[in-house]
Amino acid sequence: MSGTSGSELRTSLKLPWRIRFILAALNAISNASIRRNGTVNRCLMTLIDFKVPPSDKPVKGVTTSDTTVDPSRNLWFRYFLPRGTTSGENLPIIVYFHGGSLVFLSPSSKSYDDLCRRLAGELPATVVSVNYRLAPEHKFPSPYEDGVEILKFIDENPPANADLTRCFIVGDSAGGNLVHHVTARAGEHDFRNLKIAGAILIQPFFGGEERTESEIQLAGTPLWSVERTDWCWKAFLPEGSDRDHPAANVFGPKSSDISGLKFPKSLVFMGGFDPLRDWQKRYCEGLKGNGKEVKVVDYPNAIHSFYIFPQLPESTLFLTELQDFIYSQ
Ligand SMILES: *[C@@H]1O[C@H](CO)[C@@H](O)[C@H](O)[C@H]1NC(C)=O
Ligand SMILES: *[C@@H]1O[C@H](CO)[C@@H](O)[C@H](O)[C@H]1NC(C)=O
């Protein structure tokens, strides 16, 4: 990346105008909904966060249903099942954590209902999309605890047509951060039937105090601002800690030794226009340095959140890559 200025990089980004427009709207509203006093205007977010109800009639070949796990903390999941799965047929199960900077969105958000439906129908697989608690109302480690609780629940109450021995923990952006921490915590628990066969982190949201080269060079690329990510870390991390907290900076100066951790083979997706890519690279190096097996897929023209847009060519490549990983374990 050295030798190229940030503005040259940004003008070399080719995106359809419709996607640029959607990203600009998302950016403006999420920017406007976070307040200086550390709270979120959730009413304002409803302008862009369209909700989709579950449906037992197949939509694009997939049925959905919602299951409550713990009403006291609004812990529930949406289950995606491809149509025509017969009673004896068991498919791999994906436990999915949506993105949204640890602050926004849910499994019923249209973009995530669409994405999980695509995964279920096209891989094919069953998908459990988790409604975990959000910051700033709920700080670290609430969403990690919610993720482990969901794994324990499905271990005891296997959803229809799910092969618990082929369970993959998957998530994008903030959800990718959850994939690491939930998988690490789950490694300390003995499940009855559930076996984690792989971890898939799609452009995971990691960070730290330092400003990396990609954060500086790619400032101003769609859907991202360092002011907003700083705000989100502050909203999520414990009072008084900085961004080198191990929740954000997994292999940073304050992290503990993870060499003894039970961690499955992982697949990490990165994009050339994602300002978070340097943090993701360090994360992959950290895993490898601790003897964990990790496959990195890096799309040079991909922006942060490319997978939300099926019309982008990388979205198709991404599905094939997921399918290969899941069906080769
Ligand atoms: C933050 O600001 C909003 C809007 O101005 C206000 O409604 C809310 O009560 C404030 N919250 C705190 C904790 O100061
Ligand atoms: C929101 O947008 C304004 C104007 O573009 C910018 O100055 C500000 O830093 C942004 N705030 C956050 C938290 O992203």
Side-chain angles (χ1 to χ4, degrees), residues 62-138:
V62 175
T63 62
T64 49
S65 57
D66 289 352
T67 300
T68 299
V69 172
D70 180 357
S72 74
R73 52 173 140 158
N74 196 24
L75 181 59
W76 58 271
F77 63 84
R78 177 161 295 179
Y79 190 55
F80 297 77
L81 181 63
R83 173 177 53 191
T85 316
T86 53
S87 59
E89 188 186 359
N90 285 343
L91 294 171
I93 178 168
I94 287 175
V95 175
Y96 196 89
F97 297 103
H98 66 80
S101 314
L102 300 159
V103 170
F104 302 116
L105 308 175
S106 89
S108 58
S109 299
K110 180 157 187 342
S111 49
Y112 283 102
D113 187 85
D114 285 349
L115 177 63
C116 290
R117 196 177 295 280
R118 245 163 69 223
L119 296 179
E122 294 186 30
L123 291 175
T126 62
V127 180
V128 162
S129 179
V130 182
N131 191 60
Y132 56 87
R133 284 171 292 177
L134 298 174
E137 293 86 350
H138 304 279

Side-chain angles (χ1 to χ4, degrees), residues 31 34 225 227-228:
N31 190 338
I34 62 175
S225 86
E227 292 82 8
R228 195 162 66 234

Side-chain angles (χ1 to χ4, degrees), residues 13-242:
L13 171 62
K14 302 268 182 291
L15 271 183
W17 67 268
R18 196 166 170 273
I19 293 183
R20 278 187 192 269
F21 179 78
I22 293 170
L23 291 170
L26 286 174
N27 214 19
I29 305 260
S30 35
N31 190 338
S33 72
I34 62 175
R35 299 183 181 119
R36 275 183 202 286
N37 71 5
T39 63
V40 176
N41 184 343
R42 299 217 175 265
C43 262
L44 191 55
M45 267 313 280
T46 60
L47 291 179
I48 47 165
D49 183 11
F50 307 108
K51 299 287 200 247
V52 181
S55 157
D56 53 14
K57 284 211 200 78
V59 175
K60 295 193 174 139
V62 175
T63 62
T64 49
S65 57
D66 289 352
T67 300
T68 299
V69 172
D70 180 357
S72 74
R73 52 173 140 158
N74 196 24
L75 181 59
W76 58 271
F77 63 84
R78 177 161 295 179
Y79 190 55
F80 297 77
L81 181 63
R83 173 177 53 191
T85 316
T86 53
S87 59
E89 188 186 359
N90 285 343
L91 294 171
I93 178 168
I94 287 175
V95 175
Y96 196 89
F97 297 103
H98 66 80
S101 314
L102 300 159
V103 170
F104 302 116
L105 308 175
S106 89
S108 58
S109 299
K110 180 157 187 342
S111 49
Y112 283 102
D113 187 85
D114 285 349
L115 177 63
C116 290
R117 196 177 295 280
R118 245 163 69 223
L119 296 179
E122 294 186 30
L123 291 175
T126 62
V127 180
V128 162
S129 179
V130 182
N131 191 60
Y132 56 87
R133 284 171 292 177
L134 298 174
E137 293 86 350
H138 304 279
K139 285 174 164 282
F140 166 92
S142 305
Y144 304 158
E145 291 172 349
D146 292 347
V148 175
E149 206 50 44
I150 290 285
L151 294 178
K152 290 181 183 170
F153 181 87
I154 59 177
D155 187 41
E156 299 290 331
N157 310 273
N161 300 97
D163 176 0
L164 290 186
T165 66
R166 283 186 290 164
C167 175
F168 293 84
I169 315 292
V170 188
D172 66 288
S173 193
N177 177 291
L178 265 72
V179 171
H180 172 81
H181 293 286
V182 171
T183 306
R185 285 166 181 246
E188 291 166 12
H189 184 78
D190 285 321
F191 293 100
R192 223 162 31 147
N193 302 303
L194 183 128
K195 189 174 164 291
I196 299 176
I200 303 176
L201 300 88
I202 309 157
Q203 300 186 309
F205 181 33
F206 294 122
E209 281 298 306
E210 187 192 327
R211 294 284 184 234
T212 63
E213 196 181 330
S214 64
E215 281 176 316
I216 296 164
Q217 296 267 359
L218 292 168
T221 48
L223 213 57
W224 193 86
S225 86
V226 86
E227 292 82 8
R228 195 162 66 234
T229 48
D230 284 357
W231 189 98
C232 292
W233 285 126
K234 189 163 189 302
F236 173 69
L237 294 171
E239 215 60 65
S241 53
D242 65 18

Side-chain angles (χ1 to χ4, degrees), residues 287-329:
L287 279 185
K288 286 178 190 160
N290 281 278
K292 315 296 175 204
E293 195 180 342
V294 45
K295 176 173 184 191
V296 181
V297 176
D298 193 358
Y299 298 127
N301 293 314
I303 53 164
H304 193 74
S305 79
F306 73 90
Y307 41 81
I308 293 292
F309 302 101
Q311 61 270 51
L312 292 177
E314 289 85 0
S315 260
T316 308
L317 298 172
F318 157 77
L319 274 178
T320 310
E321 202 70 57
L322 277 183
Q323 192 174 43
D324 286 351
F325 185 81
I326 288 174
Y327 277 93
S328 69
Q329 303 304 309

